[in-house]
Amino acid sequence: MLTIAQGTATLDLTFSSADTGARFSIGADGLGRALITEDVLCYLHGTRIVTPTGAVAVEDLHIGDAVVTRFGAVQRIKWLGRQSYAPEFIEHNQTKWPVRIAAGALADGVTARDLYVSPGHSMLLGETLVLASKLVNGITVTQTRPVAELNYVQIELAGHDCVLAEGAWSETFADAPGLRAQFHNAAEFYALYPDEPLVEELRLCAKRPERGAALAAALRPVAARAVAGTIPGPLQGWVESAQDWRIQGWAIDLARPELPVLLEVLTGEKIIGTVLACEFREDLRQAGKGSGHCAFRFTPPFRLRGEPLTIRRAADGAVLPAPEELRRTA
């Protein structure tokens, strides 16, 4: 475990053997929150990026080409970072396996066709950036071990922004200490821009929540599209605690362990809110609960003072197990 402290705030990072050789950078999202940035890889070859004259495969773009962006209208490409890996080299390094976002996974017609990005790459959902690794649901967004060489390209503009990749807003490169050096052609950038000042922290064009209500709100419509028309599988989970202003636990659908479960929270017969079980916990991953993205924390609209408490799956009303004292009185 690695503990990072700033003033009275601390951040605990737990690594497993699967993290060997992984790199990360620590920055801020513009709102004072710490962010962990995974290996920079980004767009797989073949990804179509919208330019003023039409869609162009990312590997065919050049420095100086114009692209359509979300926040800066039309911008010129400053640089293109590249990484390539043989499948045997990354066989046990899932942080480099591409995430497939199926056509229509994010909204009607979005993406326009299957999009392949790296797990540490962010998609813009509404006004929120969401890592592709958090979008994985095992149905419309998946990740599998590669069997052929992977060739990634990332686009850098004057500042962090989003471009249209297969019809979906998707981020460009945001530099931070140690990130650029991971590109296999990093020397090219330093030759082109020898006077470029060093970047001291990560700056993003939009908020990118790592957990909590903002992340759940962004994931909810994607999960709903994935589960539409399906029959829920067996529910497994546990309400671990319910104290005053917080209820927490975990839940997974055993038939679709990567799909976040939407839960309803009731006191007596009244629904007081919903929560998506989508937060990551390392202990749940190690216990074989999908990829570990199945925890939840819910803040009730009032302080709990003895009300009977029930948490159930919204899709079918299946009740999440809880200790007897929580079912009887919160």
Side-chain angles (χ1 to χ4, degrees):
M1 176 178 286
L2 171 66
T3 299
I4 301 166
Q6 181 177 12
T8 59
T10 62
L11 175 66
D12 292 330
L13 306 178
T14 302
F15 301 91
S16 69
S17 58
D19 297 313
T20 302
R23 301 183 181 185
F24 62 90
S25 178
I26 299 170
D29 66 353
L31 300 176
R33 295 180 294 236
L35 296 174
I36 305 302
T37 301
E38 302 174 41
D39 289 337
V40 286
L41 297 164
C42 302
Y43 300 105
L44 207 59
H45 273 201
T47 302
R48 300 180 301 182
I49 306 297
V50 172
T51 76
T53 57
V56 177
V58 68
E59 66 270 26
D60 293 331
L61 292 172
H62 300 89
I63 294 173
D65 285 354
V67 292
V68 176
T69 70
R70 171 65 176 82
F71 300 106
V74 174
Q75 296 190 52
R76 298 283 177 180
I77 294 174
K78 179 177 180 178
W79 185 65
L80 293 158
R82 304 180 189 275
Q83 290 177 284
S84 298
Y85 295 96
E88 60 270 20
F89 182 77
I90 57 172
E91 180 180 2
H92 302 293
N93 189 349
Q94 195 168 349
T95 64
K96 299 186 186 298
W97 300 357
V99 171
R100 170 185 168 270
I101 303 174
L106 306 182
D108 290 343
V110 183
T111 57
R113 66 173 191 168
D114 291 359
L115 170 64
Y116 293 85
V117 298
S118 57
H121 185 87
S122 295
M123 304 297 297
L124 186 68
L125 305 183
E127 300 299 320
T128 303
L129 290 167
V130 178
L131 289 172
S133 60
K134 296 185 182 296
L135 287 169
V136 172
N137 56 43
I139 302 175
T140 59
V141 185
T142 57
Q143 186 184 27
T144 56
R145 181 184 290 109
V147 296
E149 181 176 275
L150 297 179
N151 295 290
Y152 287 101
V153 180
Q154 177 57 306
I155 299 167
E156 182 173 13
L157 306 173
H160 191 240
D161 209 316
C162 293
V163 295
L164 279 169
E166 304 298 356
W169 290 116
S170 182
E171 72 170 338
T172 60
F173 179 56
D175 196 10
L179 288 190
R180 190 182 302 281
Q182 297 175 51
F183 288 112
H184 296 162
N185 64 327
E188 177 191 48
F189 177 88
Y190 297 118
L192 289 169
Y193 306 101
D195 299 323
E196 186 80 5
L198 294 176
V199 175
E200 296 182 353
E201 62 179 347
L202 184 67
R203 295 287 183 182
L204 301 180
C205 63
K207 63 181 180 179
R208 195 189 76 188
E210 296 293 308
R211 58 185 61 83
L215 174 62
L219 289 178
R220 218 174 262 200
V222 180
R225 292 180 69 85
V227 77
T230 65
I231 299 174
L235 180 67
Q236 185 181 76
W238 191 249
V239 181
E240 296 172 322
S241 65
Q243 298 178 346
D244 295 337
W245 296 99
R246 173 176 290 186
I247 303 169
Q248 66 182 44
W250 60 275
I252 64 170
D253 183 326
L254 292 179
R256 305 171 186 83
E258 300 302 323
L259 183 68
V261 176
L262 180 62
L263 300 168
E264 295 175 333
V265 182
L266 298 85
T267 54
E269 299 297 321
K270 182 180 179 181
I271 298 175
I272 62 171
T274 61
V275 61
L276 195 67
C278 63
E279 294 191 8
F280 175 77
R281 273 181 28 193
E282 178 62 21
D283 63 315
L284 295 174
R285 186 192 71 81
Q286 291 190 10
K289 308 306 180 185
S291 61
H293 290 87
C294 56
F296 67 87
R297 289 183 293 177
F298 175 75
T299 301
F302 52 83
R303 186 175 182 179
L304 298 175
R305 294 182 180 276
E307 299 86 350
L309 178 67
T310 302
I311 299 180
R312 67 189 185 192
R313 181 163 54 186
D316 61 355
V319 175
L320 200 63
E324 179 61 33
E325 61 271 19
L326 294 186
R327 294 194 299 269
R328 184 176 60 251
T329 177

